Amino acid sequence: RSKRHGGNTMHVYSSSSESRNPGRLPMETALRRALKREELLIYYQPQVCLPTGRICGVEALLRWRHPEKGVKSAARYIPLAEETGLILPISEWVLHEACSQFGVWSREGISVGRMAINLSARQFRQKSLTGQLGRILHDCDLAPDALELELTESMLVDDVETAMETMSALKGMGIHLSLDDFGTGYSSLSYLKRFPIDTLKIDKSFVRELSTDSRSFAVADGIITLGHRLELGVLAEGVETAEQLSRLYDSGCDMVQGYLFCRPLPAEQLTTLLREPPTDFLLHRSQSSKTE
Ligand code: C2E
Ligand code: MG
Ligand code: MG
Ligand code: MG
């Protein structure tokens, strides 16, 4: 469980924490520079509706164009960014960048449904979050309904009442909320029924073992039933094989996302794909680059 940080204050290193993890300071310096030198970029991965096969959303995924290592997933750096507070300027940049991209697509007549953005724990606790979102939506001329924020269970359980207030405020603005990596966190079903969320995202660990492990299938199938009984949409992430897709389809899953359809792509590459949408995206196998 992540440890708490006070308000929005920046965490200051103590020499003891640096000596515990000697690689950290250079990494922090590099991350700071990445933000300043505009080495951050976003890849976008389509979310596909079942049974239509239409793209109903796009998830923004942070990447770092490392001067030596090339384009890397930012996942490894997010915990450090959380700890140092760097996640706040990074997250603000992500929100702005992804919302502007949505605007670009809209103006080109390309409909991607909704832009899904991962929220960080610190960002979620920031008092100024709703104000910031309101400004960004306004600047990018985006309807709140076009934005989906992905939360994780761990962000919600530490202080349920405050989390409920924040979620209600976001919902009140008209923003959609989803619960990412569902099934892997500290989920309490008694909270789940109270959370004002729209969508459950089944974690890819269950999807990966869907065809080989009957228990993983039971969990995925159960999440779909549970979600529907709570009148939530259910999306499965990490769908890589036709067999996984067919099982999810049979279980009534509403949306899918994964390499089977499309890898996360830079905006320009995805634009090409979106301009000539395959008549049935479900039949489409992405031949796009293996980069991520
Ligand atoms: P996530 O939100 O659960 O994102 C899904 C991850 O699964 C992404 O990894 C995506 O590239 C990967 N993925 C998509 N399809 C498949 C598939 O078919 N198979 C497999 N094995 N993986 C697939 P990525 O981009 O490395 O991101 C990892 C995590 O980093 C994300 O997990 C999210 O929690 C976090 N993250 C990414 N971008 C941001 C951001 O802008 N802000 C914050 N706070 N976190 C972010
Ligand atoms: Mg996500
Ligand atoms: Mg996430
Ligand atoms: Mg996830």
Side-chain angles (χ1 to χ4, degrees):
R1 190 93 63 93
S2 66
K3 59 172 181 288
R4 294 284 204 84
H5 300 279
N8 303 327
T9 50
M10 292 277 177
H11 176 78
V12 178
Y13 276 113
S14 66
S15 50
S16 63
S17 66
E18 166 59 14
S19 60
R20 267 202 305 276
N21 189 350
R24 210 165 69 155
L25 199 51
M27 203 148 119
E28 185 193 347
T29 309
L31 198 56
R32 247 177 235 290
R33 220 169 34 214
L35 182 64
K36 219 167 59 197
R37 290 192 186 160
E38 302 182 6
E39 290 167 8
L40 299 181
L41 65 163
I42 300 179
Y43 277 20
Y44 298 90
Q45 185 179 39
Q47 302 176 328
V48 176
C49 265
L50 296 178
T52 59
R54 291 215 181 87
I55 294 173
C56 50
V58 164
E59 179 174 2
L61 294 160
L62 185 61
R63 295 290 180 270
W64 181 0
R65 193 194 310 279
H66 196 280
E68 286 116 46
K69 298 179 201 156
V71 177
K72 290 269 168 238
S73 161
R76 264 189 69 204
Y77 307 99
I78 284 170
L80 178 71
E82 283 272 0
E83 233 178 294
T84 55
L86 265 175
I87 195 71
L88 293 178
I90 291 174
S91 303
E92 185 172 10
W93 177 82
V94 169
L95 280 171
H96 220 284
E97 180 70 19
C99 289
S100 335
Q101 183 58 51
F102 190 95
V104 169
W105 278 324
S106 299
R107 284 190 293 280
E108 291 181 12
I110 295 170
S111 160
V112 292
R114 206 165 268 137
M115 178 61 75
I117 302 177
N118 292 281
L119 223 55
S120 87
R122 229 192 227 236
Q123 196 181 11
F124 184 71
R125 282 199 303 270
Q126 227 190 351
K127 289 273 175 290
S128 54
L129 177 65
T130 47
Q132 182 188 67
L133 285 165
R135 251 188 335 271
I136 290 173
L137 289 170
H138 179 265
D139 286 354
C140 300
D141 196 19
L142 205 72
D145 181 55
L147 181 63
E148 177 164 304
L149 297 177
E150 299 194 356
L151 314 172
T152 54
E153 294 158 275
S154 58
M155 292 162 58
L156 308 177
V157 294
D158 273 354
D159 180 353
V160 176
E161 293 316 314
T162 308
M164 283 290 293
E165 278 171 31
T166 309
M167 285 188 280
S168 302
L170 296 171
K171 281 301 296 171
M173 291 173 72
I175 295 171
H176 279 240
L177 300 178
S178 60
L179 211 44
D180 205 355
D181 310 331
F182 187 73
T184 59
Y186 296 83
S187 41
S188 159
L189 297 178
S190 64
Y191 292 142
L192 184 63
K193 71 172 193 214
R194 293 175 53 204
F195 289 152
I197 52 169
D198 303 283
T199 306
L200 294 178
K201 295 190 73 175
I202 305 175
D203 189 69
K204 53 181 178 301
S205 59
F206 303 117
V207 175
R208 187 175 54 230
E209 297 173 344
L210 211 56
S211 337
T212 51
D213 175 19
S214 63
R215 286 167 181 263
S216 287
F217 175 71
V219 172
D221 187 64
I223 293 174
I224 294 167
T225 305
L226 176 66
H228 288 166
R229 294 298 298 271
L230 294 171
E231 297 181 337
L232 306 174
V234 181
L235 179 147
E237 62 177 16
V239 178
E240 294 185 1
T241 70
E243 185 168 354
Q244 290 164 351
L245 173 64
S246 122
R247 293 202 167 214
L248 290 161
Y249 180 90
D250 289 344
S251 294
C253 194
D254 306 290
M255 289 161 282
V256 281
Q257 180 181 352
Y259 299 163
L260 179 65
F261 313 99
C262 193
R263 288 184 169 260
L265 294 174
E268 315 77 64
Q269 278 187 51
L270 189 58
T271 304
T272 313
L273 189 76
L274 295 170
R275 278 227 182 81
E276 304 142 29
T279 40
D280 186 352
F281 203 65
L282 294 182
L283 300 174
H284 178 74
R285 301 288 179 273
S286 171
Q287 269 105 52
S288 47
S289 61
K290 291 270 183 279
T291 56
E292 232 184 286

